[in-house]
mmCIF file of all heavy atoms in Angstrom:
data_model
loop_
_atom_site.group_PDB
_atom_site.id
_atom_site.type_symbol
_atom_site.label_atom_id
_atom_site.label_comp_id
_atom_site.label_asym_id
_atom_site.label_seq_id
_atom_site.Cartn_x
_atom_site.Cartn_y
_atom_site.Cartn_z
ATOM 1 N N ARG A 11 -48.940 28.916 -24.862
ATOM 2 C CA ARG A 11 -48.918 29.044 -23.416
ATOM 3 C C ARG A 11 -48.421 27.783 -22.716
ATOM 4 O O ARG A 11 -47.555 27.861 -21.848
ATOM 5 C CB ARG A 11 -50.308 29.421 -22.901
ATOM 6 C CG ARG A 11 -50.263 30.022 -21.503
ATOM 7 C CD ARG A 11 -51.594 30.656 -21.139
ATOM 8 N NE ARG A 11 -52.537 29.679 -20.636
ATOM 9 C CZ ARG A 11 -52.645 29.317 -19.370
ATOM 10 N NH1 ARG A 11 -51.848 29.865 -18.450
ATOM 11 N NH2 ARG A 11 -53.551 28.419 -19.006
ATOM 12 N N GLY A 12 -48.943 26.654 -23.074
ATOM 13 C CA GLY A 12 -48.579 25.431 -22.389
ATOM 14 C C GLY A 12 -47.503 24.604 -23.072
ATOM 15 O O GLY A 12 -46.918 23.707 -22.454
ATOM 16 N N GLY A 13 -47.243 24.901 -24.337
ATOM 17 C CA GLY A 13 -46.229 24.169 -25.065
ATOM 18 C C GLY A 13 -46.667 22.801 -25.562
ATOM 19 O O GLY A 13 -45.829 22.018 -26.021
ATOM 20 N N ARG A 14 -47.951 22.505 -25.474
ATOM 21 C CA ARG A 14 -48.442 21.230 -25.968
ATOM 22 C C ARG A 14 -48.241 21.126 -27.476
ATOM 23 O O ARG A 14 -48.464 22.099 -28.200
ATOM 24 C CB ARG A 14 -49.920 21.066 -25.628
ATOM 25 C CG ARG A 14 -50.478 19.672 -25.879
ATOM 26 C CD ARG A 14 -51.963 19.634 -25.564
ATOM 27 N NE ARG A 14 -52.248 20.059 -24.207
ATOM 28 C CZ ARG A 14 -52.239 19.260 -23.150
ATOM 29 N NH1 ARG A 14 -51.969 17.975 -23.298
ATOM 30 N NH2 ARG A 14 -52.510 19.738 -21.948
ATOM 31 N N THR A 15 -47.821 19.971 -27.922
ATOM 32 C CA THR A 15 -47.533 19.771 -29.336
ATOM 33 C C THR A 15 -48.457 18.735 -29.947
ATOM 34 O O THR A 15 -48.977 17.850 -29.265
ATOM 35 C CB THR A 15 -46.074 19.351 -29.555
ATOM 36 O OG1 THR A 15 -45.805 18.151 -28.814
ATOM 37 C CG2 THR A 15 -45.126 20.443 -29.099
ATOM 38 N N TYR A 16 -48.625 18.842 -31.248
ATOM 39 C CA TYR A 16 -49.488 17.957 -32.016
ATOM 40 C C TYR A 16 -48.771 17.598 -33.307
ATOM 41 O O TYR A 16 -48.094 18.439 -33.905
ATOM 42 C CB TYR A 16 -50.818 18.634 -32.343
ATOM 43 C CG TYR A 16 -51.547 19.184 -31.142
ATOM 44 C CD1 TYR A 16 -51.193 20.414 -30.601
ATOM 45 C CD2 TYR A 16 -52.588 18.476 -30.555
ATOM 46 C CE1 TYR A 16 -51.852 20.927 -29.497
ATOM 47 C CE2 TYR A 16 -53.252 18.980 -29.451
ATOM 48 C CZ TYR A 16 -52.886 20.202 -28.928
ATOM 49 O OH TYR A 16 -53.540 20.705 -27.833
ATOM 50 N N TYR A 17 -48.930 16.352 -33.747
ATOM 51 C CA TYR A 17 -48.255 15.889 -34.943
ATOM 52 C C TYR A 17 -49.171 15.037 -35.803
ATOM 53 O O TYR A 17 -50.003 14.285 -35.292
ATOM 54 C CB TYR A 17 -47.024 15.051 -34.603
ATOM 55 C CG TYR A 17 -45.947 15.799 -33.872
ATOM 56 C CD1 TYR A 17 -45.876 15.779 -32.490
ATOM 57 C CD2 TYR A 17 -44.989 16.529 -34.579
ATOM 58 C CE1 TYR A 17 -44.882 16.466 -31.816
ATOM 59 C CE2 TYR A 17 -43.991 17.218 -33.908
ATOM 60 C CZ TYR A 17 -43.944 17.184 -32.531
ATOM 61 O OH TYR A 17 -42.959 17.871 -31.868
ATOM 62 N N ALA A 18 -48.990 15.157 -37.097
ATOM 63 C CA ALA A 18 -49.626 14.225 -38.003
ATOM 64 C C ALA A 18 -48.963 12.866 -37.850
ATOM 65 O O ALA A 18 -47.765 12.771 -37.557
ATOM 66 C CB ALA A 18 -49.505 14.710 -39.446
ATOM 67 N N ASP A 19 -49.732 11.805 -38.039
ATOM 68 C CA ASP A 19 -49.188 10.459 -37.893
ATOM 69 C C ASP A 19 -48.000 10.216 -38.818
ATOM 70 O O ASP A 19 -47.070 9.485 -38.466
ATOM 71 C CB ASP A 19 -50.272 9.418 -38.170
ATOM 72 C CG ASP A 19 -51.309 9.342 -37.065
ATOM 73 O OD1 ASP A 19 -51.027 9.807 -35.945
ATOM 74 O OD2 ASP A 19 -52.398 8.808 -37.325
ATOM 75 N N SER A 20 -48.013 10.830 -39.975
ATOM 76 C CA SER A 20 -46.976 10.601 -40.964
ATOM 77 C C SER A 20 -45.606 11.132 -40.559
ATOM 78 O O SER A 20 -44.596 10.728 -41.135
ATOM 79 C CB SER A 20 -47.383 11.218 -42.308
ATOM 80 O OG SER A 20 -47.587 12.616 -42.181
ATOM 81 N N VAL A 21 -45.564 12.024 -39.568
ATOM 82 C CA VAL A 21 -44.290 12.621 -39.173
ATOM 83 C C VAL A 21 -43.914 12.327 -37.732
ATOM 84 O O VAL A 21 -42.822 12.713 -37.294
ATOM 85 C CB VAL A 21 -44.279 14.144 -39.410
ATOM 86 C CG1 VAL A 21 -44.645 14.463 -40.847
ATOM 87 C CG2 VAL A 21 -45.219 14.850 -38.434
ATOM 88 N N LYS A 22 -44.774 11.651 -36.989
ATOM 89 C CA LYS A 22 -44.472 11.334 -35.598
ATOM 90 C C LYS A 22 -43.188 10.525 -35.499
ATOM 91 O O LYS A 22 -42.976 9.582 -36.247
ATOM 92 C CB LYS A 22 -45.627 10.564 -34.963
ATOM 93 C CG LYS A 22 -46.830 11.410 -34.628
ATOM 94 C CD LYS A 22 -47.925 10.579 -33.973
ATOM 95 C CE LYS A 22 -49.125 11.425 -33.617
ATOM 96 N NZ LYS A 22 -50.218 10.627 -33.025
ATOM 97 N N GLY A 23 -42.337 10.911 -34.566
ATOM 98 C CA GLY A 23 -41.073 10.232 -34.375
ATOM 99 C C GLY A 23 -39.966 10.741 -35.265
ATOM 100 O O GLY A 23 -38.797 10.403 -35.053
ATOM 101 N N ARG A 24 -40.310 11.550 -36.267
ATOM 102 C CA ARG A 24 -39.312 12.083 -37.183
ATOM 103 C C ARG A 24 -39.190 13.604 -37.093
ATOM 104 O O ARG A 24 -38.098 14.144 -37.217
ATOM 105 C CB ARG A 24 -39.634 11.698 -38.624
ATOM 106 C CG ARG A 24 -39.665 10.201 -38.871
ATOM 107 C CD ARG A 24 -39.769 9.890 -40.359
ATOM 108 N NE ARG A 24 -40.996 10.435 -40.949
ATOM 109 C CZ ARG A 24 -41.014 11.300 -41.957
ATOM 110 N NH1 ARG A 24 -39.880 11.717 -42.497
ATOM 111 N NH2 ARG A 24 -42.177 11.732 -42.440
ATOM 112 N N PHE A 25 -40.318 14.269 -36.893
ATOM 113 C CA PHE A 25 -40.340 15.729 -36.837
ATOM 114 C C PHE A 25 -40.581 16.191 -35.411
ATOM 115 O O PHE A 25 -41.303 15.540 -34.645
ATOM 116 C CB PHE A 25 -41.455 16.303 -37.717
ATOM 117 C CG PHE A 25 -41.252 16.139 -39.194
ATOM 118 C CD1 PHE A 25 -40.234 15.346 -39.711
ATOM 119 C CD2 PHE A 25 -42.096 16.785 -40.079
ATOM 120 C CE1 PHE A 25 -40.062 15.196 -41.075
ATOM 121 C CE2 PHE A 25 -41.936 16.648 -41.444
ATOM 122 C CZ PHE A 25 -40.925 15.857 -41.945
ATOM 123 N N THR A 26 -40.008 17.329 -35.055
ATOM 124 C CA THR A 26 -40.211 17.926 -33.750
ATOM 125 C C THR A 26 -40.465 19.413 -33.906
ATOM 126 O O THR A 26 -39.662 20.120 -34.512
ATOM 127 C CB THR A 26 -38.997 17.711 -32.833
ATOM 128 O OG1 THR A 26 -38.729 16.312 -32.691
ATOM 129 C CG2 THR A 26 -39.267 18.312 -31.456
ATOM 130 N N ILE A 27 -41.578 19.878 -33.355
ATOM 131 C CA ILE A 27 -41.879 21.297 -33.385
ATOM 132 C C ILE A 27 -41.499 21.903 -32.038
ATOM 133 O O ILE A 27 -41.688 21.289 -30.988
ATOM 134 C CB ILE A 27 -43.370 21.556 -33.711
ATOM 135 C CG1 ILE A 27 -43.622 23.051 -33.909
ATOM 136 C CG2 ILE A 27 -44.285 20.981 -32.642
ATOM 137 C CD1 ILE A 27 -45.008 23.367 -34.454
ATOM 138 N N SER A 28 -40.956 23.094 -32.074
ATOM 139 C CA SER A 28 -40.578 23.790 -30.855
ATOM 140 C C SER A 28 -40.799 25.280 -31.042
ATOM 141 O O SER A 28 -40.825 25.778 -32.172
ATOM 142 C CB SER A 28 -39.125 23.506 -30.477
ATOM 143 O OG SER A 28 -38.241 23.932 -31.496
ATOM 144 N N GLY A 29 -40.967 25.978 -29.935
ATOM 145 C CA GLY A 29 -41.205 27.401 -30.004
ATOM 146 C C GLY A 29 -40.415 28.166 -28.966
ATOM 147 O O GLY A 29 -40.083 27.639 -27.906
ATOM 148 N N ASP A 30 -40.109 29.387 -29.297
ATOM 149 C CA ASP A 30 -39.448 30.312 -28.388
ATOM 150 C C ASP A 30 -40.359 31.514 -28.273
ATOM 151 O O ASP A 30 -40.369 32.381 -29.150
ATOM 152 C CB ASP A 30 -38.070 30.701 -28.917
ATOM 153 C CG ASP A 30 -37.279 31.533 -27.926
ATOM 154 O OD1 ASP A 30 -37.874 32.245 -27.105
ATOM 155 O OD2 ASP A 30 -36.037 31.471 -27.979
ATOM 156 N N ASN A 31 -41.123 31.567 -27.192
ATOM 157 C CA ASN A 31 -42.105 32.629 -27.026
ATOM 158 C C ASN A 31 -41.463 34.013 -26.955
ATOM 159 O O ASN A 31 -42.011 34.983 -27.473
ATOM 160 C CB ASN A 31 -42.942 32.377 -25.768
ATOM 161 C CG ASN A 31 -44.111 33.322 -25.643
ATOM 162 O OD1 ASN A 31 -44.927 33.447 -26.552
ATOM 163 N ND2 ASN A 31 -44.207 33.995 -24.511
ATOM 164 N N ALA A 32 -40.294 34.089 -26.321
ATOM 165 C CA ALA A 32 -39.613 35.369 -26.181
ATOM 166 C C ALA A 32 -39.189 35.930 -27.528
ATOM 167 O O ALA A 32 -39.190 37.148 -27.727
ATOM 168 C CB ALA A 32 -38.404 35.221 -25.264
ATOM 169 N N LYS A 33 -38.834 35.054 -28.436
ATOM 170 C CA LYS A 33 -38.384 35.488 -29.754
ATOM 171 C C LYS A 33 -39.480 35.422 -30.808
ATOM 172 O O LYS A 33 -39.257 35.825 -31.950
ATOM 173 C CB LYS A 33 -37.195 34.640 -30.208
ATOM 174 C CG LYS A 33 -35.956 34.792 -29.344
ATOM 175 C CD LYS A 33 -34.805 33.963 -29.890
ATOM 176 C CE LYS A 33 -33.553 34.147 -29.062
ATOM 177 N NZ LYS A 33 -32.413 33.345 -29.591
ATOM 178 N N ASN A 34 -40.634 34.898 -30.427
ATOM 179 C CA ASN A 34 -41.744 34.730 -31.367
ATOM 180 C C ASN A 34 -41.329 33.927 -32.594
ATOM 181 O O ASN A 34 -41.605 34.314 -33.733
ATOM 182 C CB ASN A 34 -42.313 36.083 -31.778
ATOM 183 C CG ASN A 34 -43.046 36.775 -30.655
ATOM 184 O OD1 ASN A 34 -43.799 36.145 -29.905
ATOM 185 N ND2 ASN A 34 -42.838 38.074 -30.525
ATOM 186 N N THR A 35 -40.662 32.828 -32.337
ATOM 187 C CA THR A 35 -40.238 31.957 -33.414
ATOM 188 C C THR A 35 -40.680 30.524 -33.146
ATOM 189 O O THR A 35 -40.790 30.100 -32.001
ATOM 190 C CB THR A 35 -38.713 31.974 -33.607
ATOM 191 O OG1 THR A 35 -38.072 31.555 -32.397
ATOM 192 C CG2 THR A 35 -38.226 33.361 -33.969
ATOM 193 N N VAL A 36 -40.921 29.809 -34.212
ATOM 194 C CA VAL A 36 -41.273 28.399 -34.142
ATOM 195 C C VAL A 36 -40.405 27.652 -35.137
ATOM 196 O O VAL A 36 -40.182 28.130 -36.250
ATOM 197 C CB VAL A 36 -42.763 28.166 -34.454
ATOM 198 C CG1 VAL A 36 -43.069 26.679 -34.540
ATOM 199 C CG2 VAL A 36 -43.632 28.813 -33.389
ATOM 200 N N SER A 37 -39.919 26.490 -34.723
ATOM 201 C CA SER A 37 -39.057 25.695 -35.578
ATOM 202 C C SER A 37 -39.648 24.319 -35.795
ATOM 203 O O SER A 37 -40.440 23.824 -34.993
ATOM 204 C CB SER A 37 -37.661 25.566 -34.964
ATOM 205 O OG SER A 37 -37.025 26.821 -34.843
ATOM 206 N N LEU A 38 -39.246 23.713 -36.890
ATOM 207 C CA LEU A 38 -39.627 22.341 -37.191
ATOM 208 C C LEU A 38 -38.364 21.586 -37.560
ATOM 209 O O LEU A 38 -37.794 21.809 -38.625
ATOM 210 C CB LEU A 38 -40.641 22.283 -38.338
ATOM 211 C CG LEU A 38 -41.190 20.899 -38.664
ATOM 212 C CD1 LEU A 38 -42.090 20.406 -37.534
ATOM 213 C CD2 LEU A 38 -41.955 20.909 -39.980
#
């Protein structure tokens, strides 16, 4: 709903999670 993201310390700055609610897909 809000798009808030959370990351493990080991991947911060390197990985990005995103979502497309209309398509029901999430990417990394």
Side-chain angles (χ1 to χ4, degrees):
R11 199 168 83 88
R14 190 182 304 273
T15 58
Y16 306 81
Y17 297 94
D19 288 341
S20 60
V21 306
K22 285 181 179 178
R24 299 189 299 121
F25 291 10
T26 302
I27 187 171
S28 60
D30 187 332
N31 189 54
K33 296 182 178 180
N34 290 318
T35 59
V36 173
S37 297
L38 185 69

